[in-house]
Amino acid sequence: MTPESLDAELVEAARRGSPVAFGRLVERHQRAVRAFLRRACGDAAEADDLAQETFIAAWERIARFRGEAGIRTWFCGIAWRKLMTARRSWFRSRKRDADYVETEGLERGEGAGADERIALEQALAGLPIDQRAVVALCLGGDFSHSEAAEALGLPLGTVKSHVARGKARLMQTLGVDHE
Amino acid sequence: MSETGVTQADDRLARFWREDGLADHDGAFALAVAHGLARRRLRWSLIRLGGVMAVAAVMLWAMTPWLIGLAGRFADRMALLGPAAVVLVVVISVLVITGLPAALLAGADDALGDRPPA
């Protein structure tokens, strides 16, 4: 059974009200959603809170999932909207890009390559939020450009240019002039 | 920058993305989501129950004069039911305490051959 057909089967079961099937969907896609949110918002704890809210909202709306995009894309779309809503509220927006390196860098900033990791995280934090989200999905999460466009509700051309600019910025951090 | 340099940078970037500190399977996170879903369901159940109770209370309040009239009309006949109910309760209590219904049921099982051989 392919991962896509397993997902489709689990989605159907979840639509019929199976919490077990939905739990398996959460297990299968939690990493993608959390990694996307961590990179996009820069705060691991806030990202995990948002990921939980994302899956709870997804359970409530699973009947509305049409299956045009993959379930992972749909989850990330909800996560993106949750993130945007959270950023608009004042108490969450106080912790943002400035904390990015502090939280992420301190948690995993030891050993070889730690400086490079911090530099890359700083470069990522320096990108505008939608560019950072596109980079997190396409470069960090193996999303195709069209999947990222679908998840984030952005035009395909914008996604492509965000990927190119974001990658150039990260490569510049690694000492490469990326054209 | 040479092509090798670009490839090396690509590899370093790929490693950066891989090392996100997250596990493929995270039971604690899945449990937290399940807990959140259960909390949400409980909250909705309580809200629905509260709504039903509020509607029932309003209906009862609106029907109070009618119910009082109805009770008044049946009060005499209801008075006769009191002693009969007491007798019924006493008989049922005696049957339950003596275990007579259970013995009768066991006898029926024996007659049907349900009891295993000794």
Side-chain angles (χ1 to χ4, degrees):
Chain A
M1 184 178 277
T2 62
E4 289 79 15
S5 61
L6 177 58
D7 276 348
E9 207 170 278
L10 291 171
V11 165
E12 267 315 302
R15 271 179 166 163
R16 289 194 298 270
S18 166
V20 176
F22 187 76
R24 285 196 65 195
L25 282 172
V26 171
E27 267 181 35
R28 287 169 58 76
H29 298 289
Q30 55 88 20
R31 184 175 184 176
V33 172
R34 290 165 74 194
F36 163 62
L37 283 169
R38 283 183 179 202
R39 286 164 187 151
C41 85
D43 181 322
E46 187 185 358
D48 281 2
D49 285 348
L50 286 171
Q52 278 186 33
E53 288 174 24
T54 296
F55 285 116
I56 289 169
W59 167 253
E60 287 168 352
R61 295 176 207 167
I62 191 83
R64 278 184 264 167
F65 173 63
R66 294 189 303 273
E68 288 161 3
I71 189 75
R72 184 181 69 156
T73 305
W74 188 65
F75 283 148
C76 285
I78 296 174
W80 172 244
R81 288 189 290 277
K82 289 270 171 206
L83 176 61
M84 287 294 96
T85 306
R87 282 175 63 94
R88 279 192 284 271
S89 59
W90 68 271
F91 61 93
R92 292 213 201 206
S93 62
R94 68 192 156 86
K95 291 172 71 69
R96 249 183 35 203
D97 301 350
D99 289 350
Y100 191 87
V101 174
E102 238 175 271
T103 52
E104 295 290 298
L106 286 175
E107 280 172 13
R108 304 192 305 280
E110 290 177 8
D115 289 345
E116 186 172 280
R117 167 165 290 282
I118 290 168
L120 283 169
E121 282 168 353
Q122 275 176 332
L124 196 59
L127 299 176
I129 180 71
D130 50 348
Q131 201 174 100
R132 199 188 314 159
V134 167
V135 166
L137 287 179
C138 295
L139 299 181
D142 299 328
F143 275 60
S144 69
H145 291 168
S146 55
E147 282 175 326
E150 171 79 28
L152 305 177
L154 294 172
L156 188 59
T158 307
V159 168
K160 286 179 179 174
S161 67
H162 279 345
V163 169
R165 283 185 199 146
K167 187 168 184 183
R169 178 74 181 273
L170 295 176
M171 293 299 257
Q172 204 177 13
T173 306
L174 295 173
V176 178
D177 281 330
H178 194 79
E179 291 301 320
Chain B
M1 174 69 65
S2 69
E3 199 174 312
T4 316
V6 173
T7 309
Q8 278 176 354
D10 276 331
D11 288 345
R12 283 151 64 199
L13 200 54
R15 197 180 60 206
F16 168 70
W17 296 123
R18 272 197 312 274
E19 292 172 359
D20 57 11
L22 292 166
D24 281 337
H25 296 283
D26 187 338
F29 180 79
L31 198 65
V33 172
H35 191 245
L37 285 172
R39 256 203 327 260
R40 187 68 63 100
R41 274 198 295 268
L42 177 67
R43 194 182 307 158
W44 275 112
S45 299
L46 289 175
I47 288 170
R48 270 200 301 268
L49 190 64
V52 169
M53 285 174 71
V55 169
V58 168
M59 283 173 67
L60 202 61
W61 174 76
M63 289 164 70
T64 302
W66 180 76
L67 285 173
I68 289 172
L70 194 70
R73 260 185 284 154
F74 287 97
D76 293 343
R77 275 177 248 175
M78 297 292 269
L80 293 173
L81 287 176
V86 170
V87 171
L88 194 66
V89 167
V90 169
V91 170
I92 290 172
S93 302
V94 168
L95 286 174
V96 169
I97 291 165
T98 55
L100 197 60
L104 288 173
L105 283 173
D109 283 350
D110 283 347
L112 293 169
D114 286 349
R115 177 169 288 189

